[in-house]
Amino acid sequence: MSTITIKRPETSEPVAKLDKKALSADHPTWCPGCGDFAVLASFFKVVQNLGIPHEQICTIAGIGCSSRFPYFVNGHGVHYIHGRAIPLATGVSLSRPDLNIFVFGGDGDGFSIGGNHLEHAARKNLNLTYVIMDNFVYGLTKKQTSPTSPVGFKSKTDPWGAQDEPVNPMRKLVASGATFVARTHAAQINHMSEMFERAIKHPGFSVVEVLSECVVFFKGSFDAANPRKGGEFPLIPEKQWDESPDDWKAHDTTDLSKAIKLAEDPWPGKFGVFYEVERTTKNDNEHALIADAQAKVGNASSQEILAKRFARMR
Amino acid sequence: MVDDAVIRIAGNSQDGIQTIGGLLARLAGRTDQDVITYMTIPSTISGGPSIFQVRIGSGEILSPGDQADFLVAFYEHSFKSHIGFLREGGICLYDSDEVTPDTSDKRFTFVPVPLTSATVEAVGGTAKDRGKNMFALGLLCSVFDLDRPRLVEIISRQFGGKDESILRNALLAFDAGYAYPLGDILDLAFQLKPAVASGKNRVATDGNTAMALGLIAGGVRHGAGYPITPWSPIMEQLRVELPQYGGMFIQAEDELAAISIALGFSYSGHLAITGSAGPGLSLKMEALSWATMAEIPLIVINVQRGGPSTGLPTSVEQSDLMQAIYGSHGDCPRVVLAPKDVEDCFYIAIEAARIARKYSVPVIILSDQALSSRIEAFTEPDLAKVMVDPVLDLSPAPEDYKPYPLTGETRHAPPGTRMSGGSYPVVTGLEHDEMGHPTSNPDLHMKMTARRRNKLRRLEAELPTPEIYGDAQGEILLVGWGSTYGPIREAVSQLREKGLKLAAIHLRHLHPMAPGLEKVFDRYDHIFVIEMNDEGVYGQGQLATLLRSRFCNPKIRSICKTDGLTFKIREIISGIDDFIAVTA
Ligand SMILES: Cc1ncc(C[n+]2csc(CCOP(=O)(O)OP(=O)(O)O)c2C)c(N)n1
Ligand code: SF4
Ligand SMILES: [Mg+2]
């Protein structure tokens, strides 16, 4: 619920139903076979399903291969600077409750240079959806070690194999205070779409990590989680609270410590929703401040409010 | 009867010295008197020496004053550090419970008052260190024959509303101070000439507050920041004020986030503000470049302090001018303005908002520590004339929508805008064509670079040449910017009284600069640029360097200083003296 109202111009034009053609912009510049294509296709599908009005789509990204996403969506968009898409999206989200805000970016953009912003946006529970297209490598800058590169990964900055303990994205995100945390795989388009749809519907900070293969600099990275490549795609069984016989064994998505425990599963780990709770959003809090302050000043015009402030300094 | 008086109150920061100063300033504002205050606060949180200086007068007051007429010393250390600041013939009133001065010094009149014990006597035992300030204020009220009923009214407003005993004690101490028998110094002392009533309301406030209110008047409703001295009071005030206007100010996790959130607001169609001091500005630079490239309007305030690095966090300096104009990667034109006094903080914020909107550019406002904290009285603004109520325009964009036309102003379609042509815009930091599509076409990069720069040329053409203060032509022209306005004008007045032909101009627009300066420069033999920064490797301060490269005029020379204190009039005069004798 929002107390700030955005006045929309009246139009008599019928709202056209969005199809893939209307949503497509420039042809993606990604390498053939890049996992990011599937993320885009899945996004189109979900936006159509949800019937989001065209002008209310706003995609925001930093810098990276994955961060070129906004160019490929025909919707309002921002291609910002490396690592800072989340704070820019914060300003949009807080002041424009009429929009649907989607942030896209890579593992370097989100967990390295933008790591601090991710922590704080999650803690404040900003209302937006964040998709991290994790390829375990720096793609755009051509194969340096990323914060999610596994130990032993041979990159241009670690030709002998990466040495540092990688970020555990699920553990980090759950611990940060994000209120919806899910994990999926770009080769599993139905599962990915389901995760996106739930993330978008979630009120608050929702984040989805998509394992999205960089076929040029880290080929085969996610085969272990791809049944078509001989791997497994183990889903998280979610508690249904329906007293069915096996329900007690399933994952309680509102249980923080269980979500963190689940994040400790050995590679390739599990897929699905790790954590999902509802908590007051930063948007609610700011809008409540406005509502309270405006109730106090009543119908006074901005000029009258400021004049009163000056009168106190006479 | 005197025209004006400089009163310096010296004690420790917890003595409530700032409170006395603030009350005196407000009183002066209400009685049509002019006032300028000056204060130092130690950068440590509690304790430590602190002063407040008030200059009150009936004419135009431009600077806090080079010398004090009246010194109130709370402690031995206050006495020792500030007696040198008292003019010959001045009065030193000291707390005889704390200070034992050498009263054989005949240059001054010494007035012992047991401030500590007399306050305890008036208010009661618990008041030991509390209330001394109000007692001292009572004394000053009787010495300077100030408007007592009004002062009591102002005190009541300041302390009323809280715990009743606080106001009662404040007034007890004040009355005791007022009634304290001072003997014949009352005859010696100053009665200020009554000011000519302007018939207009006057207000007294500090530069940070004036700036925050100017932003509101200019129609800014959104912003984000991260705390740092001396910028924080602007963000604290906006955080509290803006929700009343339907806006918000967000405390971010760092300066990178702060400017990014602000750009998010601006992109959304709400012109926003961010700010900091020098260290924070350094962190905002990458995002500022994006704002120039994407042509998103933004206001960025830098309340300058002594640098580099953490430097002198509670002292004044003007050493961020080059950073403001050039401090980003790439050719990154943006507007830089600097207010000249507290009142101007209000008006320059309105102007910044107007420019940012009209040209879709980032606008940096360079304030400084001295301006931010000193209190001045000025005529209450006519809000009906200046108030801007922002509107979010989401009307559908036409089919021929072109955000970055090679000639003509930027036209943004904020998110939420229906695009009649069916194609939606992506705002980017990559070089782009007129439609906003990324391109690395060499010809287009040249054209777009020129386009971004030409916005500033169009702005330049509409700026007024700064007015000349003093002789229309003559020997010397002083050039200043920012908070040095007052002392420079006083220096001009003093030297003109001695028969010299000279003048001053003050630049409020630093990038672009107003047209016509070369014609002004032609009319004087010497041009001295007065600024609070270092003369650098080549002997010129930052503005002087810019003026020299702009006008190739060897007459332009620098008078710089970096002691972290505002310019004194005599420092300006002796600075000129170093080049040409003016004080023979
Ligand atoms: C301030 C800054 N530092 C560095 C870069 C260079 N840079 C661009 S993208 C990138 C890393 C991209 O990796 P990731 O975020 O994982 O995205 P991917 O390309 O893998 O999708 C880097 C280091 C930059 N653009 N800006
Ligand atoms: S370099 Fe890797 S991540 Fe980038 S587009 Fe190519 S395959 Fe995708
Ligand atoms: Mg990556």
Side-chain angles (χ1 to χ4, degrees):
Chain A
M1 185 218 55
S2 167
T3 57
I4 58 172
T5 42
I6 302 295
K7 278 196 213 92
R8 304 208 53 83
E10 311 260 335
T11 54
S12 48
E13 280 173 66
V15 182
K17 194 135 172 48
L18 287 180
D19 53 19
K20 185 163 173 272
K21 189 160 161 274
L23 279 172
S24 307
D26 303 354
H27 184 74
T29 45
W30 293 313
C31 310
C34 175
D36 295 351
F37 281 102
V39 180
L40 182 68
S42 173
F43 176 70
F44 283 163
K45 194 169 126 185
V46 173
V47 168
Q48 286 170 63
N49 279 353
L50 294 175
I52 298 172
H54 207 166
E55 68 274 12
Q56 293 176 19
I57 300 169
C58 187
T59 58
I60 298 173
I63 303 291
C65 291
S66 41
S67 292
R68 296 190 72 98
F69 207 93
Y71 293 120
F72 314 138
V73 179
N74 183 26
H76 286 285
V78 184
H79 188 219
Y80 190 47
I81 57 176
H82 195 27
R84 322 281 169 217
I86 288 283
L88 185 118
T90 298
V92 185
S93 171
L94 288 175
S95 67
R96 293 297 301 278
D98 56 321
L99 302 174
N100 283 278
I101 295 146
F102 311 98
V103 179
F104 291 91
D107 39 318
D109 195 76
F111 294 125
S112 192
I113 191 166
N116 194 36
H117 307 311
L118 175 52
E119 290 292 329
H120 291 279
R123 165 178 79 81
K124 294 177 177 181
N125 199 22
L126 271 153
N127 191 17
L128 54 84
T129 298
Y130 182 24
V131 176
I132 303 176
M133 295 143 87
D134 194 353
N135 54 11
F136 289 9
V137 68
Y138 282 9
L140 189 72
T141 46
K142 305 192 174 77
K143 204 178 189 178
Q144 295 83 11
T145 303
S146 107
T148 49
S149 298
V151 171
F153 171 64
K154 290 194 172 67
S155 73
K156 285 183 191 152
T157 44
D158 281 314
W160 38 79
Q163 298 165 317
D164 302 326
E165 176 71 17
V167 166
N168 176 329
M170 287 298 106
R171 188 175 65 200
K172 181 182 165 74
L173 292 168
V174 170
S176 70
T179 49
F180 179 96
V181 180
R183 183 166 184 254
T184 186
H185 192 305
Q188 303 288 334
I189 199 138
N190 288 336
H191 184 262
M192 177 163 51
S193 302
E194 184 198 327
M195 293 302 108
F196 286 175
E197 193 160 329
R198 284 176 66 180
I200 294 168
K201 285 181 176 162
H202 174 80
F205 192 82
S206 53
V207 50
V208 182
E209 183 206 14
V210 186
L211 300 184
S212 176
E213 182 176 337
C214 171
V215 292
V216 177
F217 298 120
F218 200 166
K219 196 157 179 53
S221 49
F222 305 133
D223 287 356
N226 188 350
R228 263 167 286 155
K229 301 276 176 76
E232 272 181 76
F233 188 64
L235 292 178
I236 298 169
E238 282 177 53
K239 247 198 215 326
Q240 302 301 315
W241 307 101
D242 59 359
E243 295 179 19
S244 56
D246 283 346
D247 201 42
W248 65 274
K249 284 194 257 173
H251 175 60
D252 175 0
T253 53
T254 65
D255 188 325
L256 186 94
S257 53
K258 293 221 170 78
I260 290 181
K261 183 129 196 310
L262 201 56
E264 301 300 330
D265 271 13
W267 179 254
K270 300 243 172 21
F271 295 86
V273 176
F274 279 62
Y275 191 58
E276 182 177 19
V277 288
E278 276 199 32
R279 201 177 75 226
T280 312
T281 63
K282 174 80 171 160
N283 306 59
D284 293 335
N285 284 333
E286 290 302 320
H287 299 171
L289 282 178
I290 293 174
D292 288 353
Q294 292 200 316
K296 281 205 192 97
V297 297
N299 290 326
S301 71
S302 57
Q303 190 185 318
E304 286 161 347
I305 304 169
L306 190 56
K308 260 199 177 154
R309 179 73 183 77
F310 269 104
R312 288 197 345 242
M313 307 188 307
R314 276 181 201 153
Chain B
M1 290 264 187
V2 291
D3 285 327
D4 68 273
V6 177
I7 307 167
R8 178 173 281 207
I9 306 152
N12 286 340
S13 59
Q14 70 269 38
D15 291 323
I17 284 170
Q18 321 299 341
T19 312
I20 322 184
L23 292 168
L24 277 175
R26 216 168 296 155
L27 174 72
R30 289 202 57 183
T31 45
D32 268 312
Q33 249 137 3
D34 219 8
V35 62
I36 278 197
T37 68
Y38 165 80
M39 64 188 200
T40 62
I41 334 158
S43 51
T44 46
I45 304 139
S46 61
S50 162
I51 68 153
F52 200 105
Q53 182 170 319
V54 202
R55 184 172 178 193
I56 310 179
S58 339
E60 188 190 17
I61 300 278
L62 292 164
S63 78
D66 277 13
Q67 287 186 304
D69 302 299
F70 200 95
L71 173 69
V72 182
F74 278 43
Y75 305 102
E76 194 73 38
H77 70 77
S78 335
F79 174 80
K80 288 208 170 111
S81 327
H82 298 285
I83 190 71
F85 194 78
L86 194 60
R87 72 164 162 79
E88 246 174 75
I91 295 176
C92 171
L93 188 152
Y94 60 94
D95 184 349
S96 53
D97 296 327
E98 296 275 354
V99 188
T100 43
D102 169 15
T103 49
S104 65
D105 191 337
K106 291 299 167 222
R107 288 175 300 162
F108 313 116
T109 306
F110 291 95
V111 183
V113 176
L115 284 177
T116 309
S117 48
T119 306
V120 173
E121 199 176 299
V123 184
T126 53
K128 194 166 179 306
D129 288 318
R130 307 268 194 94
K132 264 198 306 196
N133 59 341
M134 299 311 294
F135 189 94
L137 184 62
L139 284 168
L140 292 170
C141 183
S142 81
V143 173
F144 289 91
D145 198 15
L146 302 174
D147 188 334
R148 180 163 175 248
R150 277 206 179 160
L151 196 48
V152 168
E153 189 193 317
I154 292 168
I155 295 169
S156 307
R157 236 194 305 156
Q158 169 117 357
F159 294 103
K162 304 174 198 162
D163 181 354
E164 257 179 52
S165 67
I166 294 177
L167 175 58
R168 197 172 51 237
N169 287 348
L171 289 175
L172 275 176
F174 175 80
D175 287 339
Y178 187 76
Y180 190 85
L182 284 168
D184 20 328
I185 77 147
L186 286 181
D187 307 334
L188 268 181
F190 322 83
Q191 214 183 341
L192 293 168
K193 275 190 201 147
V196 190
S198 64
K200 288 189 179 140
N201 279 331
R202 310 228 329 139
V203 289
T205 195
D206 59 82
N208 271 347
T209 305
M211 186 85 81
L213 300 184
L215 291 166
I216 293 173
V220 178
R221 300 287 178 266
H222 293 80
Y226 186 78
I228 186 171
T229 303
W231 135 266
S232 301
I234 297 182
M235 71 177 279
E236 290 155 7
Q237 298 197 51
L238 290 173
R239 173 91 182 133
V240 177
E241 299 280 347
L242 286 178
Q244 302 175 92
Y245 302 84
M248 64 184 90
F249 193 98
I250 302 301
Q251 177 173 343
E253 58 270 26
D254 57 33
E255 281 89 353
L256 312 155
I259 186 169
S260 301
I261 294 170
L263 283 169
F265 286 138
S266 279
Y267 162 69
S268 300
H270 311 287
L271 172 61
I273 179 257
T274 185
S276 189
L281 258 287
S282 302
L283 290 178
K284 292 179 198 290
M285 285 298 159
E286 188 198 3
L288 255 177
S289 265
W290 184 86
T292 294
M293 183 56 121
E295 303 191 31
I296 298 291
L298 182 73
I299 299 173
V300 186
I301 292 171
N302 178 357
V303 186
Q304 299 168 94
R305 58 188 219 179
S309 191
T310 311
L312 282 71
T314 55
S315 301
V316 64
E317 210 164 89
Q318 297 178 305
S319 46
D320 296 344
L321 176 60
M322 289 294 188
Q323 183 206 38
I325 299 175
Y326 296 117
S328 273
H329 53 287
D331 287 307
C332 190
R334 60 195 172 224
V335 178
V336 180
L337 311 175
K340 61 188 164 72
D341 55 20
V342 170
E343 178 178 24
D344 199 29
C345 288
F346 178 80
Y347 291 104
I348 216 148
I350 297 174
E351 187 177 353
R354 183 190 70 79
I355 294 172
R357 282 198 185 92
K358 177 166 179 189
Y359 295 103
S360 264
V361 282
V363 179
I364 296 183
I365 303 177
L366 288 175
S367 179
D368 66 42
Q369 185 275 340
L371 265 184
S372 73
S373 60
R374 78 180 188 216
I375 299 171
E376 287 176 25
F378 56 92
T379 305
E380 192 169 324
D382 182 353
L383 294 182
K385 273 206 191 118
V386 296
M387 195 80 193
V388 174
D389 273 314
V391 276
L392 178 62
D393 179 8
L394 294 180
S395 47
E399 298 219 5
D400 63 353
Y401 169 78
K402 211 188 252 182
Y404 308 104
L406 279 174
T407 52
E409 299 306 342
T410 318
R411 180 182 183 328
H412 280 296
T417 305
R418 177 85 65 84
M419 306 305 292
S420 306
S423 166
Y424 281 77
V426 174
V427 175
T428 175
L430 284 170
E431 185 59 284
H432 42 261
D433 61 18
E434 291 181 285
M435 303 301 292
H437 283 130
T439 169
S440 47
N441 176 307
D443 184 48
L444 256 172
H445 181 51
M446 284 182 37
K447 286 190 171 133
M448 282 294 170
T449 303
R451 179 192 138 67
R452 289 185 287 270
R453 167 247 291 155
N454 286 339
K455 295 201 281 186
L456 267 66
R457 290 202 177 150
R458 287 198 292 281
L459 169 63
E460 177 189 16
E462 64 172 80
L463 296 177
T465 307
E467 67 173 82
I468 295 172
Y469 176 78
D471 297 299
Q473 55 190 35
E475 254 188 282
I476 298 167
L477 178 73
L478 302 183
V479 184
W481 64 283
S483 70
T484 53
Y485 174 73
I488 291 176
R489 281 204 161 201
E490 281 199 42
V492 168
S493 301
Q494 283 189 17
L495 291 174
R496 286 182 80 206
E497 271 169 32
K498 291 188 175 176
L500 254 87
K501 282 189 79 116
L502 82 167
I505 55 168
H506 211 72
L507 308 190
R508 296 170 72 248
H509 304 98
L510 294 159
H511 198 236
M513 289 182 205
L517 291 176
E518 63 278 21
K519 291 199 190 100
V520 177
F521 290 173
D522 280 348
R523 295 194 231 137
Y524 301 86
D525 305 332
H526 303 275
I527 297 157
F528 296 113
V529 185
I530 318 287
E531 47 191 332
M532 294 181 280
N533 54 41
D534 188 51
E535 61 172 52
V537 178
Y538 306 116
Q540 273 95 41
Q542 299 190 13
L543 178 61
T545 301
L546 290 169
L547 290 172
R548 278 205 159 204
S549 81
R550 166 88 172 78
F551 298 109
C552 302
N553 187 338
K555 284 195 297 193
I556 298 170
R557 288 179 292 179
S558 261
I559 296 176
C560 293
K561 74 162 193 167
T562 57
D563 59 1
L565 302 168
T566 53
F567 259 108
K568 297 198 171 58
I569 295 132
R570 72 173 118 84
E571 288 172 335
I572 295 172
I573 294 175
S574 75
I576 302 171
D577 243 352
D578 289 345
F579 293 102
I580 44 168
V582 286
T583 55

Short mmCIF file of all heavy atoms in Angstrom, two decimals, chain A residues 183 262-270:
data_model
loop_
_atom_site.label_atom_id
_atom_site.label_comp_id
_atom_site.label_asym_id
_atom_site.label_seq_id
_atom_site.Cartn_x
_atom_site.Cartn_y
_atom_site.Cartn_z
N ARG A 183 16.84 -19.74 -6.10
CA ARG A 183 17.97 -20.13 -6.95
C ARG A 183 17.44 -20.96 -8.10
O ARG A 183 16.58 -21.83 -7.90
CB ARG A 183 18.93 -20.96 -6.09
CG ARG A 183 20.21 -21.40 -6.77
CD ARG A 183 21.17 -21.90 -5.69
NE ARG A 183 22.45 -22.27 -6.24
CZ ARG A 183 22.87 -23.54 -6.40
NH1 ARG A 183 22.09 -24.54 -6.04
NH2 ARG A 183 24.06 -23.78 -6.90
N LEU A 262 20.40 -25.07 4.28
CA LEU A 262 20.21 -25.56 2.91
C LEU A 262 21.29 -25.01 1.97
O LEU A 262 21.71 -25.67 1.03
CB LEU A 262 18.82 -25.12 2.44
CG LEU A 262 18.14 -25.84 1.28
CD1 LEU A 262 18.02 -27.33 1.56
CD2 LEU A 262 16.76 -25.22 1.04
N ALA A 263 21.71 -23.79 2.28
CA ALA A 263 22.74 -23.15 1.44
C ALA A 263 24.08 -23.85 1.57
O ALA A 263 24.98 -23.63 0.76
CB ALA A 263 22.87 -21.67 1.81
N GLU A 264 24.23 -24.67 2.60
CA GLU A 264 25.51 -25.36 2.82
C GLU A 264 25.59 -26.67 2.06
O GLU A 264 26.62 -27.35 2.09
CB GLU A 264 25.72 -25.64 4.32
CG GLU A 264 25.74 -24.41 5.23
CD GLU A 264 26.85 -23.43 4.87
OE1 GLU A 264 27.90 -23.86 4.38
OE2 GLU A 264 26.63 -22.21 5.07
N ASP A 265 24.53 -27.06 1.36
CA ASP A 265 24.57 -28.31 0.60
C ASP A 265 25.74 -28.29 -0.39
O ASP A 265 26.02 -27.27 -0.99
CB ASP A 265 23.27 -28.49 -0.20
CG ASP A 265 22.20 -29.22 0.59
OD1 ASP A 265 22.39 -29.36 1.83
OD2 ASP A 265 21.19 -29.61 -0.01
N PRO A 266 26.40 -29.41 -0.56
CA PRO A 266 27.54 -29.44 -1.50
C PRO A 266 27.07 -29.20 -2.94
O PRO A 266 25.92 -29.44 -3.28
CB PRO A 266 28.11 -30.84 -1.33
CG PRO A 266 27.01 -31.64 -0.72
CD PRO A 266 26.16 -30.71 0.07
N TRP A 267 27.98 -28.71 -3.73
CA TRP A 267 27.74 -28.44 -5.15
C TRP A 267 27.10 -29.63 -5.83
O TRP A 267 27.53 -30.75 -5.54
CB TRP A 267 29.08 -28.08 -5.83
CG TRP A 267 28.94 -27.82 -7.29
CD1 TRP A 267 29.32 -28.63 -8.31
CD2 TRP A 267 28.33 -26.66 -7.87
NE1 TRP A 267 29.00 -28.06 -9.51
CE2 TRP A 267 28.39 -26.85 -9.27
CE3 TRP A 267 27.74 -25.52 -7.35
CZ2 TRP A 267 27.87 -25.93 -10.15
CZ3 TRP A 267 27.24 -24.60 -8.23
CH2 TRP A 267 27.30 -24.79 -9.62
N PRO A 268 26.09 -29.51 -6.67
CA PRO A 268 25.52 -28.26 -7.15
C PRO A 268 24.42 -27.69 -6.25
O PRO A 268 23.81 -26.69 -6.63
CB PRO A 268 24.94 -28.66 -8.51
CG PRO A 268 24.51 -30.08 -8.33
CD PRO A 268 25.47 -30.69 -7.36
N GLY A 269 24.15 -28.26 -5.11
CA GLY A 269 23.15 -27.73 -4.20
C GLY A 269 21.74 -27.88 -4.72
O GLY A 269 21.48 -28.59 -5.70
N LYS A 270 20.80 -27.21 -4.03
CA LYS A 270 19.39 -27.36 -4.40
C LYS A 270 18.87 -26.12 -5.11
O LYS A 270 19.49 -25.06 -5.06
CB LYS A 270 18.56 -27.61 -3.13
CG LYS A 270 18.97 -28.84 -2.37
CD LYS A 270 17.83 -29.82 -2.34
CE LYS A 270 18.17 -31.18 -1.76
NZ LYS A 270 19.33 -31.29 -0.90
#
